[in-house]
Amino acid sequence: MAKPPRSVVILGGGTAGWMTASLLHRRWSAFGCEVSLIESSEIGIVGVGEGSTPQLKAFFDDIGVSETEWMPRCNATYKAGIEFAGWSDRPGHEHYFHPFPTEVDGFTQPRFFYATRARRTGRDVTAHPDAYFVPTRIARGGLAPVAPPNFPFLVSYGYHFDAQLIGSFLKELGVGRGIRHIEARIASVELDKKGDVAALLAEDGRRFEADLFVDASGFRAAIIEGALNEPHRPFGANLFNDRAVVTRTPLPKKGAKACTRSTAASAGWIWSIPLTNRIGNGYVYSSRYIDADAAAAELRAHLGLGEDAELRELTMKCGRIERSWVRNCLAVGLAQGFLEPLEATALHVVMATVNAFLDAWAKDDREAFNAAIARRYEGIRDYIVAHYRTALRRDTDYWRDATGMDSLSDSLKSVITAWFTGADVEQEVLRQDIQGYYSPVSWHCMLAGYGNFPDQALLKPPGPDIAPIDMAEIERFVAGCAMNFPTHAEALERLKEAA
Ligand SMILES: Cc1cc2nc3c(=O)[nH]c(=O)nc-3n(C[C@H](O)[C@H](O)[C@H](O)COP(=O)(O)OP(=O)(O)OC[C@H]3O[C@@H](n4cnc5c(N)ncnc54)[C@H](O)[C@@H]3O)c2cc1C
C-alpha cells in the first residue's frame, strides 16, 4: 500500500475543487497529509451546475454532513429524476420521465422490460415508462422521494442546489476541518527536471510546493493541459452543443417539483431546475445551428420573459483529457472533462474520480485508474448521444442532423441494434458491463419514452404467447407506494425546522 502524500495543493475553488478537498482531507489527514486549496476570487467559479445524481447523497454521507445541515443553506430541493419534454413527436410520447432507481421499482421493472420487448416485436401492449415507476408518480404528484423511516425499501434520489451556495458551504466546512484556503492567482506552473509539477507560482510572487497537485481550475485546465500538455479529446463529432445561455425565474406559487425538466428546443434543450427560492433555467445549444441572439430570444420566449431579462452566456468545452492522472497531478471537474449537462453527471464524475483515485493511489495503479475514468466518460457520453440519435423529432436542421448522425461507438450501436431487433437490451447492457454508467432501466426508459416502437397501425393485439400485463395492478402498486411519501413542500419545511 502506497503511503498518502505529505501535502496536496488543489488549484480551484469551484464545486469540484472543494469536493475533492473534502474527500482527500477526510481520507488522508489522519496520516499527516496537509491539504491546501488555492483559488482566485477575481477569476471566480463557473457558477452553474445545480442538479445532481443520487451519488451526491453518498458524497455528503461520506464526509459526514446531514441533509439538515447542507440543504437549507444551499436552497436545495429533492430530485426524483428528469422529465423529458418535446424530444419526440410520437403521439403519447411527448413526455417521459427518467426515474432514479429505487428498490421498490424492482417489482414493476421486469414487467416493463417484458412489455417494451413485446411492443418492439409488434404487440399492442402498454410500454410507456411513465406507467411503471414510483419516482415518476412522486415527482408529478408534488411529492418528495424521501421514504418514511418504516418504508422497507431503499429509495435513491438526487438534489437541486444553488451552485454558489454549495461552494461556500463546502469551503466553510473544509476550512473548519483544517483545509488550508489560499487566495492567489496562479500565473505559471514550475516543472522539475523529470517533468513533474514542482510548484504553482502566483502573480504576487508566492510559490506553492506539494507532493501532489489537483487541477480543479475549470475549463482553463491550467496544470493538466496548460503545463503538462495532456491532450484533450473533443466530443463534438456526436455531441453538437457548445454554448449555453442561462437565467433565473421566480418559483411558481405551487412550489418546486422534485424533478429537473429538460425541454427540447430548436437547436438543443432547455433545463429548468427548481430550488427553494427560484428556478434556474438554461438553453444548451449548438452554435453551428443558432446564434447567441436567437438562442437568447428562444429562451426568453420559452420562459415568457421580456427583452430586459438578465441572461448569462457560457461557452462549453465538451470532451475529456486523455488521462486524468498524469505525473503528480490529478485533474477533476471541468479541467478533467465535460459532457453536456443533460443528465447532470459532472459532480458524480468528480466523486467517482476522487474515490477511484484514492484506491489507485494506495495500489499504485495509475494505468487502470486512467483507463477506468476514460471508460466512464465514454459510457456516459454514449447514453447522452443516444438521447439525440434516438429522439423522434426532425423539425429543424439540428434535429435532422442529430437524429441522423452516424458517428456512434460500437458499444452504442450494439445497444441500439438490440433494441430495434427485438433482442434483450438488459442482457446486452450487462454483456458490455456498462450498467455502472447507465442501468438497463435508464436505457429502456429513454428508448421507450421517445416511442421507438413500430407504428401503432402495425401492432397486433397480444396473443396467447404474450403473458398478460395487468396495468390496473401496476397502477394500484405505484399509487399505493407513492401514498407513503410526504409532499415536497412538507419535506423541505421539515428540513428547515430541523436545521
Ligand atoms: C451550462 C452548464 C450546466 C451544468 N449543469 C450541471 C449540472 O446540472 N450538474 C452537474 O453536476 N454539473 C453541471 N455542470 C458542470 C458543473 O458546473 C461543474 O462540474 C462544477 O461547477 C464544477 O466546476 P469546477 O469546479 O470544475 O470549475 P469552476 O467552477 O470553473 O472552478 C474553477 C476554479 O479554479 C479557479 N482558478 C482557475 N484558474 C485559476 C488561476 N490561474 N489561479 C487561481 N485560481 C484559478 C477559479 O477561481 C475557480 O475557483 C454544468 C456546466 C455547465 C457549463
Side-chain angles (χ1 to χ4, degrees):
M1 286 267 283
K3 274 201 211 142
R6 281 164 305 170
S7 55
V8 183
V9 163
I10 296 164
L11 176 62
T15 322
W18 282 109
M19 283 177 79
T20 306
S22 309
L23 292 168
L24 296 184
H25 184 264
R26 182 154 179 94
R27 189 77 79 90
W28 282 345
S29 61
F31 299 93
C33 171
E34 183 179 271
V35 178
S36 309
L37 184 147
I38 301 175
E39 68 173 323
S40 156
S41 48
E42 230 172 72
I43 295 175
I45 64 169
V46 68
V48 282
E50 305 202 315
S52 87
T53 62
Q55 280 71 15
L56 194 64
K57 181 159 185 354
F59 166 73
F60 279 111
D61 289 348
D62 199 4
I63 63 165
V65 173
S66 70
E67 288 180 351
T68 50
E69 281 172 87
W70 79 269
M71 284 185 69
R73 291 265 315 269
C74 302
N75 296 335
T77 61
Y78 291 104
K79 175 176 171 187
I82 306 175
E83 175 89 50
F84 285 87
W87 290 71
S88 169
D89 57 16
R90 279 260 158 126
H93 292 271
E94 296 84 358
H95 296 259
Y96 84 91
F97 195 84
H98 179 193
F100 286 139
T102 69
E103 266 178 14
V104 78
D105 292 320
F107 292 95
T108 50
Q109 174 200 302
R111 284 181 246 192
F112 171 55
F113 286 4
Y114 184 79
T116 59
R117 200 166 178 191
R119 196 168 176 101
R120 283 189 276 136
T121 50
R123 303 313 179 94
D124 191 3
V125 296
T126 303
H128 195 297
D130 291 0
Y132 288 86
F133 296 109
V134 175
T136 311
R137 192 62 58 95
I138 288 176
R140 292 205 178 139
L143 307 175
V146 194
N150 54 349
F151 193 70
F153 302 100
L154 191 73
V155 176
S156 305
Y157 52 81
Y159 305 99
H160 305 119
F161 44 83
D162 182 308
Q164 297 283 349
L165 296 180
I166 203 167
S168 318
F169 177 86
L170 290 173
K171 178 185 200 158
E172 197 182 307
L173 185 86
V175 170
R177 290 180 174 185
I179 295 167
R180 195 166 144 232
H181 176 231
I182 300 158
E183 169 69 36
R185 188 168 177 138
I186 297 304
S188 60
V189 178
E190 182 186 310
L191 302 183
D192 67 15
K193 282 198 196 116
K194 287 188 296 179
D196 285 354
V197 180
L200 303 184
L201 308 176
E203 276 180 354
D204 61 10
R206 279 179 292 168
R207 186 172 180 278
F208 302 100
E209 287 183 7
D211 289 347
L212 174 71
F213 292 85
V214 176
D215 188 347
S217 63
F219 284 133
R220 290 162 191 255
I223 310 177
I224 196 87
E225 279 189 70
L228 296 175
N229 295 317
E230 187 62 10
H232 182 264
R233 303 267 173 243
F235 286 152
N238 44 29
L239 289 176
F240 302 167
N241 298 337
D242 57 355
R243 299 272 199 286
V245 51
V246 305
T247 191
R248 295 168 175 192
T249 50
L251 199 64
K253 280 214 175 64
K254 54 186 191 297
K257 284 235 166 103
C259 64
T260 298
R261 195 176 165 84
S262 157
T263 308
S266 74
W269 57 279
I270 294 171
W271 81 71
S272 162
I273 292 187
L275 309 188
T276 54
N277 61 332
R278 63 161 167 90
I279 299 203
N281 312 276
Y283 183 7
V284 175
Y285 64 91
S286 167
S287 61
R288 267 192 277 160
Y289 294 85
I290 193 172
D291 66 27
D293 288 344
E298 194 175 341
L299 179 65
R300 280 196 303 265
H302 175 75
L303 297 170
L305 299 176
E307 289 281 329
D308 55 343
E310 213 178 288
L311 306 182
R312 188 155 77 96
E313 299 281 342
L314 290 157
T315 298
M316 306 185 304
K317 183 170 124 193
C318 291
R320 67 169 174 87
I321 46 162
E322 183 77 36
R323 294 168 304 165
S324 295
W325 180 7
V326 179
R327 297 189 169 272
N328 59 339
C329 173
L330 170 73
V332 294
L334 299 174
Q336 174 190 23
F338 180 63
L339 283 155
E340 64 162 85
L342 187 57
E343 291 283 342
T345 44
L347 300 182
H348 172 163
V349 175
V350 171
M351 258 192 77
T353 298
V354 178
N355 285 329
F357 172 76
L358 283 161
D359 291 347
W361 177 279
K363 292 188 212 138
D364 196 15
D365 196 356
R366 180 190 301 250
E367 247 175 63
F369 165 82
N370 280 327
I373 297 299
R375 269 200 310 276
R376 180 174 287 276
Y377 270 103
E378 306 292 323
I380 299 172
R381 193 265 318 265
D382 279 352
Y383 187 72
I384 295 178
V385 169
H387 270 289
Y388 293 98
R389 184 64 178 82
T390 67
L392 287 166
R393 172 174 180 154
R394 295 192 170 80
D395 56 327
T396 61
D397 284 346
Y398 174 90
W399 286 104
R400 282 185 286 276
D401 290 350
T403 54
M405 75 171 106
D406 52 15
S407 170
L408 305 179
S409 72
D410 289 344
S411 159
L412 179 54
K413 275 186 204 154
S414 299
V415 176
I416 295 179
T417 303
W419 180 269
F420 283 103
T421 55
D424 187 331
V425 171
E426 182 178 23
Q427 281 312 313
E428 178 56 28
V429 170
L430 299 178
R431 184 190 69 77
Q432 291 193 34
D433 197 17
I434 53 173
Q435 68 279 9
Y437 316 130
Y438 280 94
S439 69
V441 177
S442 294
W443 284 101
H444 279 81
C445 283
M446 170 172 48
L447 291 159
Y450 289 157
N452 280 297
F453 296 116
D455 276 347
Q456 181 72 45
L458 300 172
L459 297 177
K460 296 193 195 90
D465 57 324
I466 297 291
I469 304 164
D470 186 342
M471 293 311 295
E473 189 203 343
I474 289 171
E475 167 58 24
R476 273 195 301 280
F477 176 81
V478 169
C481 284
M483 268 177 57
N484 293 283
F485 290 77
T487 67
H488 199 199
E490 270 163 19
L492 296 173
E493 197 50 44
R494 269 187 230 157
L495 282 175
K496 256 202 327 210
E497 280 164 14

